[in-house]
Amino acid sequence: CRYCKNSIESLEHFIYGCPLKYTVWLIFWSEYFSTDCSLTSIHNALFYLKLPLTFPHSNLPSGAIMSCILLGIWRAHWNVVFEDTPFVPDLIITSIRTLLNTLQKELLLSKFALPPPDVSTSTYNIQNNPLT
């Protein structure tokens, strides 16, 4: 592993088993989920979709939270590979917080958005389309 120098590089180690990546998982797991964080609980959530329950104060679904964590770690990994930037858990945590905040705002906006128009009742006539 290029981060912890562990000689065993498995899929699990790549996604969450590396101590640097596990630190990121641990921060968000303890903040959003009501179950204890362990390598097994992360594995079960990712590979078997046994998603943990969120705390009542969280308005984000478990799958969305897991996706943001995974995306943040994934982006950081590829920044190391292509941009030669260091893998710094604190920066990754900040990036994931930004993703989660953006997602929360989008969900809040969608609650107040007008529903899309019902196209089946539209009076628009396709024959009057000037593009055809």
Side-chain angles (χ1 to χ4, degrees):
C1 173
R2 73 183 333 159
Y3 311 121
C4 71
K5 307 304 180 209
N6 186 339
S7 62
I8 300 170
E9 182 71 78
S10 64
L11 178 61
E12 289 81 5
H13 186 84
F14 176 75
I15 297 173
Y16 58 83
C18 172
L20 290 175
K21 294 175 184 179
Y22 183 69
T23 299
V24 174
W25 281 103
L26 185 59
I27 293 291
F28 289 101
W29 199 281
S30 61
E31 188 172 321
Y32 284 95
F33 303 129
S34 59
T35 58
D36 290 335
C37 184
S38 69
L39 294 174
T40 302
S41 57
I42 297 170
H43 180 86
N44 287 339
L46 292 172
F47 290 94
Y48 301 110
L49 297 179
K50 293 182 179 177
L51 300 174
L53 296 175
T54 58
F55 284 120
H57 69 272
S58 174
N59 62 350
L60 292 174
S62 297
I65 297 165
M66 299 285 294
S67 297
C68 287
I69 299 167
L70 197 55
L71 176 60
I73 290 173
W74 189 251
R75 282 180 175 172
H77 170 77
W78 289 113
N79 280 335
V80 170
V81 171
F82 291 114
E83 305 294 330
D84 201 30
T85 59
F87 192 91
V88 181
D90 287 339
L91 296 177
I92 298 163
I93 290 165
T94 300
S95 171
I96 295 169
R97 285 199 195 288
T98 301
L99 287 169
L100 289 165
N101 287 334
T102 301
L103 182 59
Q104 277 183 315
K105 289 175 186 175
E106 289 174 358
L107 288 174
L108 185 61
L109 280 175
S110 69
K111 286 182 182 179
F112 297 107
L114 294 174
D118 185 0
V119 181
S120 65
T121 61
S122 175
T123 58
Y124 180 75
N125 185 343
I126 200 162
Q127 293 174 342
N128 293 333
N129 185 349
L131 296 176
T132 56

